[in-house]
Amino acid sequence: MNYFPVFLRIRNLPCLVAGGGTVGTRKTRQLLRAGARVTVCAPDVSPELRQLAADGQVSLTIAPFAPELIGEHRFVIAATGDPDINRTIADAAHERGLFCNVVDDRDTSSAILPAIVDRSPVIVAVSSSGDAPVLATRIRQQIDTLLAPRLGDLATHMGRWRDRVKERLDTIKERRLFWQQVLNSPVASHVLHGDVTAADRVTADLLDSREASSEGIAYIVGAGPGDPELLTLKAVRALNTADVVVHDRLVARAVLDYARKDAEFISVGKQAGVPSITQDEINALLVRLVAAGKTVCRIKGGDPFIFGRGGEEIAALEDADLAWQVIPGITAAAGCAAAAGIPLTHREVARALTLTTAHNADGSEPDWQTLAGNEQTVVFYMGVRKLAATCAALIDAGKDSATPAVIIENGTTARQRLVNGTLADLPAQAQAANVKSPALLIVGSVAALARSTADNAGSGAETDESVASSHQWSERAHYDNSEAQT
């Protein structure tokens, strides 16, 4: 972070605004809304500031700025419109150990003022670190349209009940689960529609019926094929509620950022050809955590029930008589094909869809005759290492060597790359392009419809710094445990 975000309680504290024009007036208004005692210093001030002074809301010093005017003020805003004077004001403030905002001068400022969405007591602040104030304003406007006008009333309602809830529920986990139950109940709707009496009645009923419980639960969650925006809302909620997040090695940081900041993170990712934690050890870990009363989010790439070993994990939880819930994710076949513009089924061309791997766990060969059948699309997971052998086996089983085939590398991310060809020439093309996992092989007539990645890099192509950095952190996107499953 370039700046540390913080909310200051300045109610009844003295603050100084140097500048009495349009900008100084606007800054004064903002400080007054936060309850500050404001003094405005300027040779001349706007009519609005004069009226505020006449009403006793601000103090005026009709004079040029002088360092001694800082006095006992706790926060200073320089808005004179003169860069030299503003720098003088900032220097004087910094010498006193005070934070100073200099309008339109990020380098001189020790504090910048964000764009604000005010649903007090809920306040959302947006900053671009001074790089793009117009962008910050646009984001603020978008957030403003998403938040209910009476959202602050909901926060106030929860604040009124907070002490009673703490008296009844002993642990932080119990209270957190209770408030999540409140937000998923009619309480929010009652408050947002102004029916406080009904909201209090439902809240009281929920609190009366709430039994302290130490039972844990595991959410087996699919993270999708790589693009963080392809997470389901239910997956985000599971991350938000988890005490422990057990994640694969290449789940993007932008996905993990949806978890609680105090959650424990445990990486259990497998990597082909490298000693890794075994599936039995992962199963035992989940059992141990849930048995200890933890809410666990076991999140993995793609969908947990499509080459994700989710079935093995819930079987272990079932055997231990522990609670679990599966939250599906967009599997790599659906996500990557869509990002490349490939319809996996297409009337008169592809009447069936087969999802498979290029090798079985026991070392046996797939049923190549069935996979070579016509009028179907076949998607091979974890097939990069055996690409040449896969294409050759399909041809040997009777598949036309001119059948379209495409490799999608890093699908749904900004680094998505397509290598198009046929069963005959795709292995050589992929080798020449140095294709690496995670990559997906699609075979069938629909593969010829693949679009250029320049125009189809996925719905969540990185357009902001937070998403872009997440992929640098995670090395590359992850398709249903990549090539770790053998």
Side-chain angles (χ1 to χ4, degrees), residues 164-180:
R164 275 176 280 183
V165 172
K166 290 179 70 174
E167 290 173 2
R168 298 280 293 276
L169 303 178
D170 294 331
T171 68
I172 293 175
K173 178 179 179 179
E174 290 170 345
R175 295 194 289 271
R176 183 176 65 249
L177 292 175
F178 169 76
W179 288 121
Q180 289 167 356

Side-chain angles (χ1 to χ4, degrees), residues 23-55:
V23 177
T25 302
R26 185 171 70 247
K27 301 299 183 184
T28 298
R29 258 190 257 119
Q30 292 175 336
L31 291 173
L32 289 175
R33 287 175 62 186
R37 292 191 286 112
V38 183
T39 296
V40 177
C41 162
D44 190 20
V45 297
S46 69
E48 182 179 346
L49 287 174
R50 291 187 182 277
Q51 186 60 53
L52 289 172
D55 294 340

Side-chain angles (χ1 to χ4, degrees), residues 195-270:
D195 193 345
V196 177
T197 301
D200 284 336
R201 182 178 64 252
V202 176
T203 304
D205 290 344
L206 290 173
L207 188 57
D208 289 340
S209 64
R210 182 80 190 174
E211 296 181 359
S213 174
S214 60
E215 293 183 0
I217 185 172
Y219 295 101
I220 313 300
V221 180
D227 175 7
E229 292 186 359
L230 293 179
L231 274 176
T232 65
L233 292 175
K234 203 165 188 178
V236 172
R237 284 197 292 270
L239 282 164
N240 285 336
T241 60
D243 302 309
V244 184
V245 178
V246 179
H247 62 93
D248 286 343
R249 184 175 62 93
L250 295 177
V251 171
R253 182 178 180 179
V255 170
L256 299 180
D257 281 346
Y258 285 107
R260 287 168 30 212
K261 301 308 177 187
D262 61 338
E264 178 184 1
F265 294 86
I266 301 176
S267 175
V268 294
K270 305 180 186 69

Side-chain angles (χ1 to χ4, degrees), residues 304-325:
F305 275 8
I306 299 180
F307 308 118
R309 298 188 178 181
E312 299 175 42
E313 292 171 358
I314 65 170
L317 293 164
E318 277 282 310
D319 289 344
D321 197 25
L322 297 171
W324 55 268
Q325 180 179 342

Side-chain angles (χ1 to χ4, degrees), residues 198 224 449:
L449 302 176

Side-chain angles (χ1 to χ4, degrees), residues 464-475:
D464 60 63
E465 295 175 355
S466 63
V467 177
S469 63
S470 74
H471 291 295
Q472 295 168 7
W473 178 84
S474 65
E475 298 178 37

